[in-house]
């Protein structure tokens, strides 16, 4: 079945540690890729997106993601996390217009 | 100037009641969506409307009915509420290019 997979359910890091969250998808063809963040009690905010071009995408708040087509992956990274990055992170795939499917989310807890 | 606004933010109601959640977007987007986020934070698409026509209807009980009076509004009506309907419901919208999805702040529905 077509899906979006986030293998890390809960990640706990100390401040200043580096972050990498995995995302894999199984949709064929050209897809648009997104990472969203949901801070506690808040709505979804777009961190970054990839449509085409440079597979290394830079987003807000120091986040970046790399699209590796051969691996069907779009992993999120941040070199040094802060306590304020504590949130739920969602990878999402749009395999065609007007469709956006989410992964199960990864909860990130950053310990001061 | 909220781009996608939902009301109410919180809704507590008894089993068996009928309730509606309203959503409005001022982005001029062509498609609007309803997502359900369960207690495990999983986001599942429920409906989408494009130019007042339903184009996605996932396996959602027919107690849920989307109503779109115009392109800027997509309301969610729920009949005979059940305990399992308790969740956070997010409205979203996108342009036809599918290059960006904007989410509302969510409605936390609690059925008692």
């Amino acid at each position: 079945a077509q899906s979006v997979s986030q293998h890390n359910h809960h990640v706990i890091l100390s401040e200043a540690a580096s972050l990498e969250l995995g995302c894999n998808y199984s949709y064929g063809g050209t897809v648009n890729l997104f990472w969203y963040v949901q801070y506690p009690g808040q709505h979804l905010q777009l961190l970054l997106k990839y449509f085409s071009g440079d597979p290394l995408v830079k987003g807000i708040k120091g986040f970046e993601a790399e699209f590796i087509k051969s691996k069907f992956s779009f992993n999120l990274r941040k070199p040094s996390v802060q306590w304020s990055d504590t949130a739920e992170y969602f990878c999402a795939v749009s395999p065609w217009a007007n469709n956006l499917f989410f992964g199960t989310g990864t909860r990130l807890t950053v310990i001061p | 100037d909220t781009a996608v606004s939902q009301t109410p933010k919180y809704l507590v109601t008894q089993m068996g009641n009928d309730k509606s959640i309203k959503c409005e977007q001022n982005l001029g987007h062509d498609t609007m969506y309803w997502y359900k986020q369960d207690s495990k934070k999983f986001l599942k698409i429920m409906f989408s409307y494009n130019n007042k026509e339903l184009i996605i209807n996932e396996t959602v009980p027919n107690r849920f009915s989307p109503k779109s009076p115009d392109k800027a509004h997509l309301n969610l009506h729920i009949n005979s509420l059940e305990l399992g309907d308790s969740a956070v419901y997010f409205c979203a919208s996108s342009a036809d290019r599918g290059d960006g999805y904007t989410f509302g702040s969510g409605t936390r529905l609690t059925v008692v």
Side-chain angles (χ1 to χ4, degrees):
Chain A
Q2 294 176 326
S3 67
V4 183
S5 301
Q6 292 182 245
H7 305 293
N8 310 107
H9 184 64
H10 188 189
V11 173
I12 303 173
L13 295 172
S14 297
E15 275 193 317
S18 64
L19 169 72
E20 181 159 2
L21 301 182
C23 174
N24 289 89
Y25 63 93
S26 61
Y27 298 92
T30 302
V31 297
N32 292 338
L33 299 159
F34 305 81
W35 275 98
Y36 283 85
V37 60
Q38 186 177 27
Y39 297 103
Q42 295 192 26
H43 63 286
L44 291 155
Q45 300 176 40
L46 181 66
L47 273 179
L48 47 78
K49 58 187 177 184
Y50 172 80
F51 300 142
S52 63
D54 188 345
L56 187 60
V57 180
K58 294 195 183 299
I60 61 172
K61 305 187 181 188
F63 286 91
E64 64 179 30
E66 184 176 13
F67 170 54
I68 303 179
K69 189 174 181 180
S70 60
K71 295 184 178 181
F72 295 87
S73 70
F74 189 55
N75 292 354
L76 181 72
R77 301 195 290 247
K78 185 170 183 178
S80 176
V81 294
Q82 301 172 324
W83 175 79
S84 58
D85 293 324
T86 295
E88 195 88 19
Y89 291 82
F90 294 93
C91 179
V93 176
S94 182
W96 54 87
N98 305 326
N99 282 265
L100 184 67
F101 301 101
F102 285 88
T104 50
T106 297
R107 193 194 330 166
L108 172 65
T109 301
V110 180
I111 302 170
Chain B
D1 243 10
T2 305
V4 180
S5 59
Q6 298 178 225
T7 54
K9 192 172 176 67
Y10 300 96
L11 181 56
V12 181
T13 187
Q14 290 184 324
M15 283 176 55
N17 284 351
D18 301 340
K19 290 293 178 185
S20 291
I21 307 172
K22 295 184 177 181
C23 179
E24 176 181 3
Q25 56 98 0
N26 61 7
L27 298 166
H29 283 168
D30 301 291
T31 306
M32 295 182 71
Y33 310 79
W34 278 105
Y35 282 84
K36 178 181 180 181
Q37 186 174 45
D38 62 24
S39 58
K40 295 183 178 180
K41 301 290 188 182
F42 183 61
L43 280 153
K44 180 180 177 182
I45 189 166
M46 300 176 71
F47 302 104
S48 69
Y49 252 78
N50 179 284
N51 292 326
K52 300 182 70 173
E53 292 195 26
L54 183 67
I55 58 173
I56 294 177
N57 187 347
E58 296 293 315
T59 53
V60 173
N62 58 15
R63 298 181 295 103
F64 290 78
S65 55
K67 298 189 190 304
S68 181
D70 56 56
K71 194 172 113 168
H73 296 83
L74 182 66
N75 303 326
L76 182 65
H77 190 75
I78 316 169
N79 290 328
S80 302
L81 278 155
E82 300 177 357
L83 292 177
D85 298 332
S86 295
V88 180
Y89 293 83
F90 287 99
C91 178
S93 69
S94 71
D96 264 353
R97 273 173 40 84
D99 58 354
Y101 298 78
T102 304
F103 285 81
S105 56
T107 296
R108 181 175 294 277
L109 171 65
T110 303
V111 182
V112 297

